[in-house]
Amino acid sequence: MNDTFGIRLTEQKRTLVAGRLSRRVRQLGYSSFHDYFLHLQEDHSGVELSELINRVTTNHSLFFREHEHFDLLAKELLPPLIQAAVKKPGGSVRIWSAGCAAGEEPYTLAMILLDLMGTLPGGRGLKAAILATDVSMDALMEAQEGLYPETRVKDLPATYRKSYLSEAGNGLWSANMDVRSLVTFKHMNLVREKYPFKSQFDIVFCRNVMIYFDTPSRTGLVEAIYKVVKPGAWLFIGHSGSLPRETCPFKYMKPASYCKLIP
Ligand SMILES: C[S@@+](CC[C@H](N)C(=O)[O-])C[C@H]1O[C@@H](n2cnc3c(N)ncnc32)[C@H](O)[C@@H]1O
């Protein structure tokens, strides 16, 4: 798990992981984790690896989680970016939610963008795209379904909820079409894959993902992100993490907020 996905499973997590995997082991008719491990090694299709990662990763997220980042985006960072993009021929705003879980984070970003596009001069003409990637297929399927219980939308400001979510019955909320249409979901392992992007990003959210990574994977990931963002771009990580200031190519700006300086 560490080499392939950067996910460090320490001895303290043994019980948690065993609990999460034992159902799968029984489902396949194995009587031990050892037999399951052999099955995993023999399966070159990637199906079992995907099942494993779905069970081991924690996909918890919320709309408007750690709202300071969204406040900064809405009030300070996005308005000038949007205005510059609409004035520039072929200009656009590109955001990447790396480790997007079930879509709460990229959909929150879409709501903020839509709101600004509706209020800023020329905003409606903006070309904007949010790429949302995750290694968990289960999380991505949930994201594409776009249905959420009250507990996950509870922090969403009332105006956003009113404009961008609809009641879908059984206590669930559904993300509206305009929100969905700004977001593209893709399966991607942040640690192993060579990033296939054609254009660079203005903003990257990689929050509460690296906390599971060991130091080399974290360093490698930050360097890889640095290469796919524009000068002046911002990187947000989760508030419970930090990047080492001496080696980090981004400049620390605010808690859990970093910027690629313009040379
Ligand atoms: C706790 S969630 C964070 C969701 C959201 N960014 C937030 O802060 O609310 C962590 C996500 O990172 C994903 N993840 C973990 N390792 C990954 C990897 N190597 N590549 C891509 N995604 C990964 C997990 O599947 C999970 O959905």
Side-chain angles (χ1 to χ4, degrees), residues 1 4-7 53-54 56-63 65-66 70 97-106 133-137 139-140 187-192 195 205-213 221 237-238:
M1 291 303 283
T4 312
F5 299 106
I7 298 174
I53 193 78
N54 285 339
V56 169
T57 51
T58 300
N59 304 128
H60 170 76
S61 189
L62 296 170
F63 280 81
R65 182 182 196 185
E66 301 180 13
F70 298 113
S97 167
C100 63
E104 298 88 339
E105 183 178 273
T133 64
D134 204 282
V135 75
S136 162
M137 290 303 291
L140 289 171
H187 181 253
M188 191 167 146
N189 177 6
L190 289 169
V191 172
R192 278 282 290 266
Y195 300 158
F205 273 58
C206 190
R207 306 187 313 164
N208 306 302
V209 179
M210 292 183 238
I211 37 172
Y212 305 110
F213 290 7
L221 174 57
I237 66 167

Side-chain angles (χ1 to χ4, degrees), residues 69 72 77 81 201-204 222 225-227 229-237 243 245 248-263:
H69 288 156
L72 180 70
L77 303 184
L81 267 179
F201 294 96
D202 298 282
I203 309 279
V204 177
V222 172
I225 293 175
Y226 190 80
K227 289 188 189 137
V229 298
K230 297 175 190 168
W234 282 64
L235 165 67
F236 297 101
I237 66 167
L243 302 177
R245 290 196 196 186
C248 179
F250 287 92
K251 182 172 164 42
Y252 171 89
M253 304 299 282
K254 288 171 186 271
S257 312
Y258 299 81
C259 183
K260 178 173 177 170
L261 293 182
I262 299 171

